[in-house]
PDB file of all heavy atoms in Angstrom:
ATOM      1  N   ASP A  58      95.354 243.682   4.663  1.00 94.00           N
ATOM      2  CA  ASP A  58      94.730 244.315   3.504  1.00 94.00           C
ATOM      3  C   ASP A  58      93.397 243.642   3.199  1.00 94.00           C
ATOM      4  O   ASP A  58      92.385 244.322   2.992  1.00 94.00           O
ATOM      5  CB  ASP A  58      95.638 244.180   2.275  1.00 94.00           C
ATOM      6  CG  ASP A  58      96.698 245.263   2.247  1.00 94.00           C
ATOM      7  OD1 ASP A  58      96.571 246.230   3.015  1.00 94.00           O
ATOM      8  OD2 ASP A  58      97.654 245.137   1.458  1.00 94.00           O
ATOM      9  N   GLU A  59      93.449 242.342   3.186  1.00 94.00           N
ATOM     10  CA  GLU A  59      92.254 241.553   2.893  1.00 94.00           C
ATOM     11  C   GLU A  59      91.117 241.917   3.844  1.00 94.00           C
ATOM     12  O   GLU A  59      90.023 242.286   3.422  1.00 94.00           O
ATOM     13  CB  GLU A  59      92.621 240.085   3.083  1.00 94.00           C
ATOM     14  CG  GLU A  59      91.867 239.102   2.246  1.00 94.00           C
ATOM     15  CD  GLU A  59      92.360 237.695   2.594  1.00 94.00           C
ATOM     16  OE1 GLU A  59      93.530 237.358   2.276  1.00 94.00           O
ATOM     17  OE2 GLU A  59      91.579 236.968   3.234  1.00 94.00           O
ATOM     18  N   ARG A  60      91.406 241.838   5.131  1.00 92.00           N
ATOM     19  CA  ARG A  60      90.390 242.163   6.135  1.00 92.00           C
ATOM     20  C   ARG A  60      89.869 243.570   5.966  1.00 92.00           C
ATOM     21  O   ARG A  60      88.685 243.842   6.133  1.00 92.00           O
ATOM     22  CB  ARG A  60      90.995 242.072   7.545  1.00 92.00           C
ATOM     23  CG  ARG A  60      91.134 240.682   8.044  1.00 92.00           C
ATOM     24  CD  ARG A  60      90.901 240.706   9.553  1.00 92.00           C
ATOM     25  NE  ARG A  60      91.551 239.593  10.208  1.00 92.00           N
ATOM     26  CZ  ARG A  60      91.352 239.278  11.486  1.00 92.00           C
ATOM     27  NH1 ARG A  60      90.543 240.022  12.234  1.00 92.00           N
ATOM     28  NH2 ARG A  60      91.964 238.258  12.026  1.00 92.00           N
ATOM     29  N   PHE A  61      90.787 244.463   5.683  1.00 88.00           N
ATOM     30  CA  PHE A  61      90.418 245.870   5.589  1.00 88.00           C
ATOM     31  C   PHE A  61      89.460 246.083   4.421  1.00 88.00           C
ATOM     32  O   PHE A  61      88.481 246.807   4.531  1.00 88.00           O
ATOM     33  CB  PHE A  61      91.684 246.712   5.438  1.00 88.00           C
ATOM     34  CG  PHE A  61      91.445 248.169   5.548  1.00 88.00           C
ATOM     35  CD1 PHE A  61      90.749 248.699   6.628  1.00 88.00           C
ATOM     36  CD2 PHE A  61      91.918 249.023   4.574  1.00 88.00           C
ATOM     37  CE1 PHE A  61      90.524 250.064   6.732  1.00 88.00           C
ATOM     38  CE2 PHE A  61      91.694 250.389   4.671  1.00 88.00           C
ATOM     39  CZ  PHE A  61      90.992 250.903   5.748  1.00 88.00           C
ATOM     40  N   MET A  62      89.778 245.414   3.316  1.00 87.00           N
ATOM     41  CA  MET A  62      88.902 245.484   2.143  1.00 87.00           C
ATOM     42  C   MET A  62      87.503 244.972   2.507  1.00 87.00           C
ATOM     43  O   MET A  62      86.499 245.613   2.211  1.00 87.00           O
ATOM     44  CB  MET A  62      89.438 244.597   1.011  1.00 87.00           C
ATOM     45  CG  MET A  62      90.823 244.956   0.534  1.00 87.00           C
ATOM     46  SD  MET A  62      90.865 246.509  -0.424  1.00 87.00           S
ATOM     47  CE  MET A  62      92.567 246.473  -1.013  1.00 87.00           C
ATOM     48  N   ASP A  63      87.465 243.811   3.118  1.00 87.00           N
ATOM     49  CA  ASP A  63      86.188 243.213   3.501  1.00 87.00           C
ATOM     50  C   ASP A  63      85.380 244.180   4.350  1.00 87.00           C
ATOM     51  O   ASP A  63      84.205 244.414   4.109  1.00 87.00           O
ATOM     52  CB  ASP A  63      86.425 241.938   4.322  1.00 87.00           C
ATOM     53  CG  ASP A  63      87.025 240.839   3.469  1.00 87.00           C
ATOM     54  OD1 ASP A  63      87.110 241.024   2.235  1.00 87.00           O
ATOM     55  OD2 ASP A  63      87.409 239.802   4.026  1.00 87.00           O
ATOM     56  N   GLN A  64      86.067 244.759   5.333  1.00 80.00           N
ATOM     57  CA  GLN A  64      85.397 245.668   6.252  1.00 80.00           C
ATOM     58  C   GLN A  64      84.844 246.868   5.503  1.00 80.00           C
ATOM     59  O   GLN A  64      83.701 247.269   5.714  1.00 80.00           O
ATOM     60  CB  GLN A  64      86.401 246.119   7.314  1.00 80.00           C
ATOM     61  CG  GLN A  64      85.752 246.768   8.510  1.00 80.00           C
ATOM     62  CD  GLN A  64      86.784 247.468   9.373  1.00 80.00           C
ATOM     63  OE1 GLN A  64      87.968 247.543   9.032  1.00 80.00           O
ATOM     64  NE2 GLN A  64      86.347 247.995  10.499  1.00 80.00           N
ATOM     65  N   ALA A  65      85.653 247.414   4.625  1.00 76.00           N
ATOM     66  CA  ALA A  65      85.221 248.573   3.849  1.00 76.00           C
ATOM     67  C   ALA A  65      83.971 248.206   3.064  1.00 76.00           C
ATOM     68  O   ALA A  65      83.007 248.968   3.013  1.00 76.00           O
ATOM     69  CB  ALA A  65      86.338 249.014   2.910  1.00 76.00           C
ATOM     70  N   LYS A  66      83.986 247.013   2.471  1.00 77.00           N
ATOM     71  CA  LYS A  66      82.842 246.567   1.709  1.00 77.00           C
ATOM     72  C   LYS A  66      81.625 246.438   2.632  1.00 77.00           C
ATOM     73  O   LYS A  66      80.537 246.902   2.321  1.00 77.00           O
ATOM     74  CB  LYS A  66      83.143 245.217   1.044  1.00 77.00           C
ATOM     75  CG  LYS A  66      82.952 245.267  -0.467  1.00 77.00           C
ATOM     76  CD  LYS A  66      83.390 243.953  -1.121  1.00 77.00           C
ATOM     77  CE  LYS A  66      84.849 243.999  -1.557  1.00 77.00           C
ATOM     78  NZ  LYS A  66      85.359 242.704  -2.010  1.00 77.00           N
ATOM     79  N   ALA A  67      81.844 245.826   3.790  1.00 74.00           N
ATOM     80  CA  ALA A  67      80.750 245.598   4.730  1.00 74.00           C
ATOM     81  C   ALA A  67      80.120 246.916   5.162  1.00 74.00           C
ATOM     82  O   ALA A  67      78.918 247.020   5.336  1.00 74.00           O
ATOM     83  CB  ALA A  67      81.255 244.831   5.944  1.00 74.00           C
ATOM     84  N   LEU A  68      80.958 247.921   5.334  1.00 65.00           N
ATOM     85  CA  LEU A  68      80.453 249.213   5.781  1.00 65.00           C
ATOM     86  C   LEU A  68      79.847 250.012   4.638  1.00 65.00           C
ATOM     87  O   LEU A  68      79.252 251.056   4.863  1.00 65.00           O
ATOM     88  CB  LEU A  68      81.577 250.034   6.431  1.00 65.00           C
ATOM     89  CG  LEU A  68      81.999 249.590   7.827  1.00 65.00           C
ATOM     90  CD1 LEU A  68      83.224 250.366   8.277  1.00 65.00           C
ATOM     91  CD2 LEU A  68      80.861 249.786   8.820  1.00 65.00           C
ATOM     92  N   ASN A  69      80.032 249.502   3.413  1.00 58.00           N
ATOM     93  CA  ASN A  69      79.435 250.179   2.270  1.00 58.00           C
ATOM     94  C   ASN A  69      79.906 251.616   2.152  1.00 58.00           C
ATOM     95  O   ASN A  69      79.125 252.491   1.777  1.00 58.00           O
ATOM     96  CB  ASN A  69      77.909 250.188   2.425  1.00 58.00           C
ATOM     97  CG  ASN A  69      77.297 249.153   1.503  1.00 58.00           C
ATOM     98  OD1 ASN A  69      77.872 248.839   0.458  1.00 58.00           O
ATOM     99  ND2 ASN A  69      76.162 248.622   1.898  1.00 58.00           N
ATOM    100  N   ILE A  70      81.141 251.832   2.500  1.00 50.00           N
ATOM    101  CA  ILE A  70      81.606 253.211   2.576  1.00 50.00           C
ATOM    102  C   ILE A  70      81.573 253.901   1.226  1.00 50.00           C
ATOM    103  O   ILE A  70      81.227 255.073   1.118  1.00 50.00           O
ATOM    104  CB  ILE A  70      83.032 253.250   3.150  1.00 50.00           C
ATOM    105  CG1 ILE A  70      82.939 252.999   4.626  1.00 50.00           C
ATOM    106  CG2 ILE A  70      83.694 254.584   2.886  1.00 50.00           C
ATOM    107  CD1 ILE A  70      84.189 252.479   5.208  1.00 50.00           C
ATOM    108  N   ASN A  71      81.942 253.147   0.204  1.00 51.00           N
ATOM    109  CA  ASN A  71      82.018 253.779  -1.106  1.00 51.00           C
ATOM    110  C   ASN A  71      80.690 253.707  -1.851  1.00 51.00           C
ATOM    111  O   ASN A  71      80.441 254.487  -2.744  1.00 51.00           O
ATOM    112  CB  ASN A  71      83.094 253.086  -1.930  1.00 51.00           C
ATOM    113  CG  ASN A  71      84.328 252.817  -1.085  1.00 51.00           C
ATOM    114  OD1 ASN A  71      84.892 253.733  -0.510  1.00 51.00           O
ATOM    115  ND2 ASN A  71      84.709 251.560  -0.970  1.00 51.00           N
ATOM    116  N   GLY A  72      79.888 252.763  -1.440  1.00 52.00           N
ATOM    117  CA  GLY A  72      78.655 252.526  -2.174  1.00 52.00           C
ATOM    118  C   GLY A  72      77.709 253.724  -2.128  1.00 52.00           C
ATOM    119  O   GLY A  72      77.937 254.707  -1.421  1.00 52.00           O
ATOM    120  N   ALA A  73      76.673 253.619  -2.865  1.00 48.00           N
ATOM    121  CA  ALA A  73      75.698 254.699  -2.936  1.00 48.00           C
ATOM    122  C   ALA A  73      74.967 254.840  -1.600  1.00 48.00           C
ATOM    123  O   ALA A  73      74.527 255.911  -1.230  1.00 48.00           O
ATOM    124  CB  ALA A  73      74.691 254.415  -4.040  1.00 48.00           C
TER     125      ALA A  73
END
Side-chain angles (χ1 to χ4, degrees):
Chain A
D58 277 347
E59 209 181 292
R60 282 214 205 190
F61 189 52
M62 301 288 188
D63 292 352
Q64 195 193 5
K66 236 174 268 172
L68 286 173
N69 256 332
I70 285 157
N71 317 304

